[in-house]
Amino acid sequence: MTFDPKGFTEVLLDVILFECASQPKNKYTFRELACAFYNSLLLLRFDSNLNSSSSHVYIQKHKLYTTQGLIQYIHSLHRGGNNDYSPYPNHAIRKVLWNSFDNDACYDEEFVYLRACSSTEVDNFFSNYAEKVPSAFHDYIAAVVEHLRDCCWDEHRGSGGVGVVLSSLAGTLGVAKYSMEHNAHERLRRRQYLPDKIARQTSFSQRFQVAQMGREYRERVRLEREYRERERLERDVRLMQKKKEEARRMQMEEVRRMQKEKEDQERERILKDMRRMQKEKEDQEQERILRDMRRMRIIEGYKANQQRLLQQQLQHIDAPHLADINLYLNELKLQAATADTRRNVETLRQTLETTLRTHPRFRNAEVSLFGSFESGLSTLTSDADFTVSNLMGLTIEPIHDLARALQLSGYGPIKTVADARVPIVTFTGQGIRCDMNINQPMGVFNSQLIHAYQKIDTRFLGIWFGLRSLADRHGILNGKNRYLTSYALTMMLIVFLQDVTSPPILPRLQQQSTYKMTTRIIDGYLCAYDKDARNYSELAAKNTKTHGELLKEFCQYFGHTFNYATQEVNPRLGVIRNRSVKPPPRTLTDSRLKDWSICVLDPFIADRNVTGNCRGINVAVIQRCFRTVHDALVKDDIKKAFKV
């Protein structure tokens, strides 16, 4: 049903007149009536529960909140109100002159005369209000009357009646007798009252039927009351259940919170225990290292004597031979990457980092260089190795996310090797072949350690390129075929220059004083060494041998002296000694230990053998290669030594 603002305003006028007539005085100025309309306008306009009707627009349009506007509106009506239930016909609302004196001041005001209504007129008014006024107006009228009683007629209550909460207006207060619910019950009561009236005017049988109808009516009323009571009880039960569920939910949240706190405390306790155990382990390792170093000092004299004997055995090699070897090694050093190439690789690293950060999942990515370009052992044809860290929001296979990001950035051709031990993406950038993996900081730190060693003495590069060339041409520099890797060969060279040469050329960078060390925790391992190579230049200068002599001594040692079955190359301690690390089980189901035919340990992961994949026949080939090269170099047969 459409809300009629005109009809509502006319009904509101009749109700205001009726309420005013129920008060002690019977004369009201038009100013007072206009004030009532003004307060009604404010309520209907600014109350969010009542402003859905447009009645306040109608009141404001006709200016009923002013004296002149209200007088014109009343005179425009055919009678005093809109409905024939109004107890005030046209002649009852008269405009007269009322002179009142207050503090000797005279005011001429227009007023209306409203006589008091009889009880019959009051009953007829509310009966006709319930029957003839549209139900849509009832709750709005009830709310307005309640508001006027509070703000305009605060000294009396008009026609009386209690206040109720109007459910249709979201809990707004209103006068019960004007509300829609009350008048709906009133209409029902009046309709059921009619049979009783008829019963008094009919015969006995008819009265009996009417009585029966009355009993049925009362029974229906009783059932209706029971139904409402049952609904109320069910509503209360639902409310109690909702409260219980809320209490249960809060209790479960409290239990989860306490459980989380308990788990956090337990995790913190475990971390503390792990740190304590790690510290104890490090202290024990340090004590063991100190014991080993004391033993090393004891046998140092013995090694020096052996070295002097070795020098005496090599005295038959004449100077021209050494000159030829040194010349060839100098030629091999020309394979090293130039400074321009290294700068190009660094520029590529910065470009890759900037490009990857344009993708949402790589917003905080850091690209680091490792491998030969970071260690300083790169050649003109070496690949550039990169690792990416500080990633977020990746999928189960992040290597594919990295490949997609590189492809979208214009790099290619892209090749993903996802089934490797460390998954990588290969591509070409700025004309340089590149390999990139994810979260491998240990590789970066290893490369930086090698770089620190090779910067100490210039002979390191000559020996390294010589070893790399002869190992490659003799087929023993191939980790995929279970021979030596470049990394393992580098560790063997470093330890040889630390422990075998006399006097030593390289220091033990991982065994220096704590204040000199650069320390990091990577994957749970304590990684530390002295990065400042300038501290050890004088140590290297004490050994005056050429890189050709040192290369021959290396091949002699690993071809004739080193015991592959029982000794280990330990770069962390900088010594070659009897094995101290047990091999791991072969598989999860096979508890037998692996067969390590050669043992070259990692400088930071103490129990990792970087040559663990080498097997017996291949190790024999490696030893035979070093013997062959040594014998050829002794005879100055460079072609045989390097297979050129």
Side-chain angles (χ1 to χ4, degrees):
M1 176 180 178
T2 306
F3 197 96
D4 181 16
K6 178 181 178 182
F8 174 83
T9 305
E10 293 177 354
V11 172
L12 180 60
L13 172 62
D14 288 337
V15 172
I16 291 175
L17 294 175
F18 177 78
E19 286 291 310
C20 290
S22 301
Q23 299 177 13
K25 65 180 182 178
N26 58 3
K27 292 181 181 180
Y28 282 85
T29 66
F30 279 94
R31 180 182 297 174
E32 292 174 325
L33 297 178
C35 180
F37 270 95
Y38 177 76
N39 285 280
S40 302
L41 170 64
L42 295 179
L43 178 67
L44 294 170
R45 181 177 179 182
F46 295 105
D47 193 317
S48 60
N49 298 325
L50 300 174
N51 61 8
S52 60
S53 69
S54 58
S55 54
H56 62 280
V57 178
Y58 187 89
I59 294 173
Q60 189 171 7
K61 178 180 179 181
H62 291 80
K63 298 183 179 181
L64 303 185
Y65 54 89
T66 65
T67 302
Q68 190 64 29
L70 181 59
I71 292 173
Q72 291 177 1
Y73 177 77
I74 293 176
H75 288 171
S76 68
L77 299 176
H78 296 293
R79 46 175 307 285
N82 182 42
N83 302 289
D84 56 5
Y85 56 77
S86 174
Y88 306 105
N90 274 332
H91 64 272
I93 302 178
R94 296 178 290 114
K95 186 169 65 172
V96 299
L97 190 64
W98 176 29
N99 298 327
S100 63
F101 297 88
D102 183 18
N103 296 331
D104 298 329
C106 179
Y107 297 91
D108 292 335
E109 295 190 2
E110 295 173 331
F111 67 92
V112 294
Y113 173 82
L114 300 173
R115 63 174 177 78
C117 298
S118 65
S119 60
T120 302
E121 288 177 327
V122 172
D123 291 339
N124 290 337
F125 175 84
F126 284 109
S127 176
N128 291 326
Y129 176 88
E131 292 290 338
K132 298 180 180 180
V133 174
S135 299
F137 296 169
H138 287 174
D139 283 348
Y140 287 85
I141 293 292
V144 171
V145 173
E146 179 68 19
H147 178 68
L148 292 175
R149 289 181 180 181
D150 290 336
C151 64
C152 292
W153 309 325
D154 53 351
E155 295 180 0
H156 49 77
R157 298 293 294 174
S159 63
V162 298
V164 294
V165 176
L166 304 174
S167 58
S168 67
L169 297 181
T172 303
L173 292 177
V175 179
K177 63 175 67 178
Y178 289 103
S179 66
M180 181 170 58
E181 183 178 2
H182 172 81
N183 285 286
H185 289 300
E186 187 68 15
R187 288 193 298 272
L188 179 62
R189 186 186 67 79
R190 291 181 184 277
R191 291 191 185 99
Q192 298 301 330
Y193 175 75
L194 185 59
D196 294 334
K197 183 176 181 181
I198 297 174
R200 292 192 295 271
Q201 302 172 0
T202 57
S203 62
F204 175 78
S205 61
Q206 291 173 334
R207 289 197 301 272
F208 178 80
Q209 292 177 357
V210 172
Q212 181 66 23
M213 291 174 62
R215 286 192 293 273
E216 292 176 356
Y217 166 73
R218 287 189 291 274
E219 180 65 18
R220 285 197 300 274
V221 171
R222 185 184 64 80
L223 292 175
E224 184 178 354
R225 289 177 179 172
E226 290 179 355
Y227 176 76
R228 287 199 296 269
E229 181 65 18
R230 187 163 56 253
E231 282 188 337
R232 186 186 64 79
L233 291 175
E234 291 176 354
R235 187 167 59 251
D236 293 342
V237 169
R238 288 194 297 271
L239 182 60
M240 291 179 64
Q241 289 178 348
K242 184 177 180 180
K243 290 182 178 180
K244 288 182 179 179
E245 291 175 357
E246 182 67 18
R248 189 180 301 111
R249 184 184 64 80
M250 293 179 65
Q251 185 178 6
M252 292 297 295
E253 289 181 354
E254 181 66 19
V255 170
R256 286 194 292 270
R257 184 185 63 80
M258 294 177 64
Q259 185 175 2
K260 186 176 182 302
E261 290 180 354
K262 185 176 179 181
E263 291 175 353
D264 292 340
Q265 293 174 358
E266 182 66 18
R267 188 180 299 110
E268 183 65 22
R269 185 188 62 79
I270 292 174
L271 290 175
K272 288 182 179 178
D273 292 342
M274 291 179 63
R275 287 193 291 268
R276 179 180 54 80
M277 293 173 63
Q278 180 71 17
K279 188 175 183 305
E280 292 177 355
K281 184 177 180 181
E282 292 173 357
D283 293 340
Q284 293 174 359
E285 182 67 15
Q286 188 67 24
E287 292 178 358
R288 188 180 62 80
I289 291 171
L290 292 174
R291 289 195 301 269
D292 291 342
M293 292 185 68
R294 284 193 293 270
R295 286 196 297 269
M296 288 168 56
R297 294 192 195 97
I298 295 174
I299 64 174
E300 189 174 6
Y302 174 75
K303 282 190 174 183
N305 292 333
Q306 282 190 329
Q307 191 66 25
R308 282 194 296 271
L309 292 175
L310 179 62
Q311 292 293 333
Q312 292 174 1
Q313 294 175 2
L314 296 175
Q315 285 179 356
H316 67 279
I317 302 176
D318 53 6
H321 291 176
L322 295 176
D324 293 340
I325 297 173
N326 292 329
L327 181 62
Y328 185 73
L329 293 182
N330 288 332
E331 292 177 355
L332 291 178
K333 285 176 63 176
L334 297 177
Q335 300 175 4
T338 63
D340 290 339
T341 304
R342 292 194 294 271
R343 280 194 296 269
N344 292 338
V345 171
E346 175 59 22
T347 302
L348 176 60
R349 183 198 68 79
Q350 297 174 0
T351 304
L352 285 169
E353 185 174 87
T354 304
T355 304
L356 287 177
R357 288 182 177 179
T358 61
H359 300 274
R361 294 177 177 175
F362 298 87
R363 189 176 297 110
N364 300 320
E366 292 184 3
V367 178
S368 302
L369 187 64
F370 73 102
S372 59
F373 274 101
E374 180 67 17
S375 65
L377 305 182
S378 58
T379 66
L380 295 173
T381 59
S382 295
D383 296 346
D385 299 312
F386 300 99
T387 185
V388 187
S389 57
N390 288 347
L391 308 182
M392 58 183 181
L394 299 180
T395 60
I396 298 177
E397 294 183 340
I399 196 68
H400 294 297
D401 295 336
L402 178 60
R404 281 191 292 271
L406 290 170
Q407 189 171 19
L408 291 174
S409 300
Y411 293 98
I414 302 294
K415 181 181 178 182
T416 304
V417 185
D419 55 349
R421 185 178 66 85
V422 178
I424 62 171
V425 177
T426 65
F427 61 96
T428 301
Q430 300 179 5
I432 302 172
R433 295 193 306 272
C434 304
D435 295 338
M436 182 174 286
N437 57 34
I438 295 175
N439 290 332
Q440 295 296 322
M442 186 66 80
V444 178
F445 216 61
N446 282 335
S447 302
Q448 292 172 351
L449 174 65
I450 296 173
H451 182 265
Y453 275 122
Q454 68 94 3
K455 292 290 288 184
I456 293 175
D457 191 85
T458 57
R459 290 170 290 182
F460 188 98
L461 286 180
I463 303 170
W464 159 249
F465 281 108
L467 283 175
R468 179 181 178 277
S469 177
L470 66 87
D472 180 53
R473 292 173 182 175
H474 284 268
I476 64 171
L477 189 64
N478 194 330
K480 294 181 180 180
N481 292 335
R482 299 180 180 273
Y483 286 101
L484 295 177
T485 63
S486 296
Y487 182 63
L489 189 61
T490 305
M491 294 298 106
M492 294 168 66
L493 175 59
I494 289 173
V495 178
F496 170 79
L497 297 177
Q498 289 173 327
D499 192 46
V500 178
T501 58
S502 180
I505 295 175
L506 295 183
R508 297 176 175 89
L509 294 182
Q510 295 177 262
Q511 304 300 321
Q512 303 302 315
S513 301
T514 305
Y515 72 91
K516 293 182 179 180
M517 307 277 261
T518 299
T519 304
R520 283 184 60 187
I521 301 295
I522 302 177
D523 299 332
Y525 295 98
L526 178 63
C527 304
Y529 69 95
D530 185 2
K531 280 190 173 183
D532 194 351
R534 296 172 300 178
N535 297 333
Y536 308 101
S537 300
E538 295 181 359
L539 173 67
K542 293 179 180 179
N543 190 314
T544 59
K545 295 179 182 178
T546 64
H547 44 29
E549 292 177 296
L550 294 171
L551 176 62
K552 284 191 287 187
E553 290 182 7
F554 179 93
C555 295
Q556 189 277 335
Y557 183 82
F558 285 101
H560 297 278
T561 305
F562 181 72
N563 190 326
Y564 286 80
T566 61
Q567 288 184 305
E568 68 180 17
V569 178
N570 193 324
R572 183 170 60 87
L573 300 179
V575 297
I576 296 175
R577 63 179 186 179
N578 291 332
R579 293 187 183 182
S580 61
V581 178
K582 291 184 178 180
R586 296 185 178 182
T587 63
L588 293 176
T589 57
D590 189 352
S591 61
R592 293 178 299 169
L593 300 181
K594 286 185 177 181
D595 182 16
W596 282 354
S597 301
I598 181 175
C599 182
V600 179
L601 297 178
D602 188 90
F604 296 120
I605 304 176
D607 56 351
R608 179 189 172 212
N609 181 6
V610 299
T611 56
N613 289 333
C614 291
R615 293 296 180 262
I617 185 63
N618 292 355
V619 174
V621 172
I622 293 170
Q623 186 177 19
R624 186 165 57 250
C625 168
F626 288 131
R627 287 179 180 177
T628 301
V629 171
H630 172 260
D631 295 341
L633 290 177
V634 168
K635 298 177 182 179
D636 196 23
D637 191 349
I638 296 177
K639 292 184 178 181
K640 181 178 180 181
F642 292 91
K643 287 191 174 182
V644 294

